Amino acid sequence: MRNHPLKPFPKDFLWGASTSAYQVEGAWNEDGKGPSVMDVAKHPKEVTDFKVASDHYHRYKEDIALFAELGLKAYRFSISWSRIFPEGTGEVNQKGIDFYNNLINELKKHHIEPVVTMYHFDLPYALQKKGGWLNRETIEAYENYAKTLFENFGDRVKYWLTINEQNVMILFGELLGTVDRNAENPKKELYQQNHHMFVAQAKAMILCHRMLPDAKIGPAPNISAVYPISPQPEDVLAAHTFSSLRNWLYLDAAVFGRYNSTVWSYLEKKQAIPEIQDGDMAILKEAKPDFIAFNYYSTMTVGANLPQKVSNNVREDQQMAFEEPGFFKGHPNPNLPKTEYGWEIDPVGLRTTLREIYERYHLPLLITENGLGAQDRLEEGDVVNDDYRIDYLQKHIEQCRLALDDGVELIGYCPWSAIDLVSTHQGISKRYGFIYVNRDEFDLKDLRRIPKKSFYWYKKVIASNGEDLTNE
Ligand code: BGP
């Protein structure tokens, strides 16, 4: 029994929702936009590409009006780098600037706080052709892009996120196409890319503080608590290694400006130590985030792995643990239910994750993704009864409140996604939104917007500042 009432959500809590540019905007080659790596990515033949997506580029006013009706206090979206710089660097595309100016102004008009991801997987293809993040020049391109964003939008944007899920791009580089599977040592290349992203991120944080003293900036990795499959010491050790590799490497670099020692030793064993130039570590040390944003969908469970075991190295998607001979091996958690896409559902794991991050770094935390992908059904009368999504979100918000009560400084919750959009590699049928977009994989229909049952539920949650989570 509790002997005190739970602490309430803070008054200025950022109740929000998230999207990313390539998944929601469409207009992939309009108004001067250059292609990004996502535009040229290959898709399985049964799923759509990102060319039209949810057509938010043309319908942002209608969408933001719905976000306002939902009562959002914050909207986390990403800026498409190749809309601003079609070649990744060089000439600015004014029409790209205009689009985001209009979008931000529209949000402001409705008193919705813009939370801007500067880079969400969609590197300009022109930069990829020159080696992408393996090429050190991409650091400079990113810094220049960051400067352009701060100059153009810094008068209205207070919250900046440097890079979405850098850890996913590195751990699942083969899946996201960030590395050539046939490279001699893909790991070495990936951790070199990773190092360049660390430096780029640090430079952006330094620049942001210099140019916009009132703004706040932070990283946005995908973080999840890692459980050992058993209390056997070897399994506990394996879980620790995996957590360092998946979680702490990224936040230790962003917050403390240093490499995680367990990961460093792992990289030595894998002959994957990145080349670090003089001055890089000083830049990492100088940069300090103001908060930590993170995406959370589930936890991971791992056990020890024999050194001689040959890894099949299958990495199905970003929410599945994988295996490394001699280090760890992912296992399903028998205690957790799964979504229809096989992702384990673990609300309590969110509380554990929040505590772990907060105790380690003592910075305010912002949840920038959390949600349930499902094949929603549009029923007669324009109704979508997504009670399973309400159930998922309700249980996670409950755990946020408990974490607040534990003393964690949580400043906002932005579930994925504000509106239906195209999944990173599973098409539009895997829906996450509060608002249904009427289209199929290949039939664009009328793209009309239909608030789902979860929309009305979340509206009530926001209006009551998280006091009323019931689904009635
Ligand atoms: C995160 C990405 C998002 C989004 C989400 C859901 O990893 O940051 O861009 O895609 O996962 O994943 P999916 O689209 O694979 O269902």
Side-chain angles (χ1 to χ4, degrees):
M1 280 286 284
R2 309 192 64 83
N3 55 10
H4 71 280
L6 280 177
K7 283 183 201 150
F9 284 97
K11 276 204 179 56
D12 51 358
F13 193 73
L14 293 171
W15 293 103
S18 289
T19 62
S20 90
Y22 72 90
Q23 294 176 278
V24 77
E25 285 178 5
W28 75 289
N29 61 356
E30 276 182 50
D31 291 341
K33 178 179 171 296
S36 79
V37 293
M38 300 314 282
D39 295 318
V40 301
K42 295 205 170 50
H43 298 268
K45 63 174 184 331
E46 62 286 1
V47 304
T48 181
D49 54 28
F50 302 112
K51 293 198 162 82
V52 177
S54 305
D55 198 32
H56 179 67
Y57 188 79
H58 299 116
R59 297 168 194 243
Y60 70 93
K61 281 198 179 164
E62 180 190 349
D63 292 343
I64 293 172
L66 282 167
F67 299 165
E69 190 191 327
L70 175 57
L72 291 190
K73 308 274 186 230
Y75 174 49
R76 181 239 179 181
F77 62 97
S78 78
I79 291 184
S80 154
W81 185 341
S82 62
R83 218 180 263 297
I84 305 292
F85 286 104
E87 296 291 316
T89 178
E91 282 287 299
V92 174
N93 174 32
Q94 188 54 42
K95 288 202 168 147
I97 301 277
D98 294 346
F99 171 67
Y100 293 108
N101 262 331
N102 293 339
L103 182 83
I104 292 165
N105 291 342
E106 196 67 19
L107 289 169
K108 287 283 185 188
K109 193 172 101 190
H110 290 285
H111 310 289
I112 300 174
E113 187 74 51
V115 177
V116 173
T117 316
M118 295 155 64
Y119 161 47
H120 191 126
F121 297 164
D122 52 354
L123 189 73
Y125 186 55
L127 294 182
Q128 187 62 36
K129 282 196 286 194
K130 290 191 262 175
W133 282 106
L134 202 53
N135 183 347
R136 232 189 122 88
E137 283 172 20
T138 302
I139 300 176
E140 208 182 304
Y142 178 84
E143 193 185 10
N144 179 53
Y145 165 60
K147 180 164 164 273
T148 308
L149 300 189
F150 299 151
E151 274 166 2
N152 283 280
F153 312 122
D155 57 335
R156 284 151 295 155
V157 175
K158 200 164 116 202
Y159 293 93
W160 297 92
L161 311 173
T162 53
I163 301 179
N164 178 69
E165 295 193 349
Q166 181 177 330
N167 57 336
V168 167
M169 286 192 275
I170 299 308
L171 294 165
F172 302 90
E174 283 145 17
L175 196 83
L176 284 170
T178 32
V179 77
D180 179 359
R181 282 171 203 267
N182 304 316
E184 201 183 313
N185 182 356
K187 216 168 239 108
K188 169 120 180 114
E189 291 197 1
L190 281 166
Y191 284 92
Q192 188 64 55
Q193 294 185 23
N194 187 49
H195 180 71
H196 292 157
M197 280 192 243
F198 281 156
V199 178
Q201 164 171 272
K203 286 190 160 198
M205 293 199 287
I206 294 168
L207 194 65
C208 180
H209 290 138
R210 217 173 275 158
M211 291 175 65
L212 309 170
D214 296 330
K216 295 181 189 306
I217 188 162
N222 178 314
I223 303 293
S224 51
V226 179
Y227 304 140
I229 185 76
S230 86
Q232 218 167 338
E234 288 77 7
D235 289 334
V236 176
L237 189 73
H240 179 269
T241 307
F242 186 67
S243 193
S244 299
L245 192 68
R246 188 191 192 284
N247 299 318
W248 311 134
L249 166 66
Y250 300 89
L251 291 176
D252 287 358
V255 180
F256 303 135
R258 62 173 181 242
Y259 269 85
N260 176 286
S261 52
T262 306
V263 176
W264 191 259
S265 129
Y266 163 89
L267 293 177
E268 280 174 340
K269 290 177 189 117
K270 295 280 177 185
Q271 271 120 43
I273 293 283
E275 192 185 308
I276 298 179
Q277 290 197 359
D278 282 354
D280 284 359
M281 295 314 291
I283 293 168
L284 259 65
K285 268 258 172 300
E286 187 188 338
K288 296 272 173 260
D290 302 290
F291 63 95
I292 293 173
F294 73 103
N295 301 342
Y296 174 89
Y297 288 89
S298 185
T299 45
M300 310 274 138
T301 302
V302 305
N305 204 2
L306 298 173
Q308 63 272 31
K309 176 114 187 3
V310 177
S311 166
N312 62 7
N313 227 0
V314 173
R315 296 179 188 205
E316 286 180 25
D317 67 39
Q318 67 270 40
Q319 284 313 126
M320 312 253 177
F322 49 91
E323 71 172 303
E324 279 281 0
F327 292 95
F328 50 78
K329 178 175 167 41
H331 293 270
N333 186 332
N335 304 296
L336 300 176
K338 288 188 177 132
T339 71
E340 63 182 278
Y341 285 88
W343 291 14
E344 289 169 348
I345 303 178
D346 188 2
V348 176
L350 175 58
R351 182 177 178 189
T352 309
T353 305
L354 282 160
R355 281 192 193 179
E356 283 190 357
I357 307 175
Y358 191 66
E359 286 192 354
R360 210 174 156 107
Y361 303 106
H362 276 274
L363 283 171
L365 305 184
L366 174 64
I367 297 171
T368 37
E369 284 183 35
N370 173 236
L372 178 92
Q375 306 215 358
D376 296 335
R377 210 162 48 85
L378 183 61
E379 294 174 30
E380 253 197 54
D382 270 0
V383 174
V384 180
N385 284 309
D386 57 343
D387 292 274
Y388 37 87
R389 181 166 296 109
I390 295 174
D391 187 57
Y392 178 101
L393 296 171
Q394 185 238 334
K395 291 191 166 115
H396 284 80
I397 295 174
E398 236 165 53
Q399 295 299 321
C400 289
R401 176 111 186 237
L402 290 167
L404 274 167
D405 203 59
D406 293 336
V408 171
E409 198 183 336
L410 179 64
I411 60 170
Y413 177 72
C414 300
W416 187 262
S417 52
I419 182 166
D420 282 348
L421 38 70
V422 181
S423 147
T424 298
H425 47 91
Q426 286 165 307
I428 183 84
S429 312
K430 188 184 191 187
R431 295 173 185 270
Y432 285 88
F434 291 110
I435 300 164
Y436 188 90
V437 174
N438 191 38
R439 62 160 288 187
D440 286 345
E441 293 298 338
F442 301 106
D443 181 356
L444 292 175
K445 300 187 179 172
D446 56 6
L447 287 157
R448 89 179 175 283
R449 282 38 184 160
I450 301 146
K452 302 180 192 175
K453 190 170 177 189
S454 58
F455 177 100
Y456 299 105
W457 170 81
Y458 194 43
K459 183 176 175 167
K460 195 177 62 165
V461 172
I462 300 176
S464 66
N465 198 29
E467 290 297 325
D468 185 358
L469 301 183
T470 56
N471 177 19
E472 274 148 14

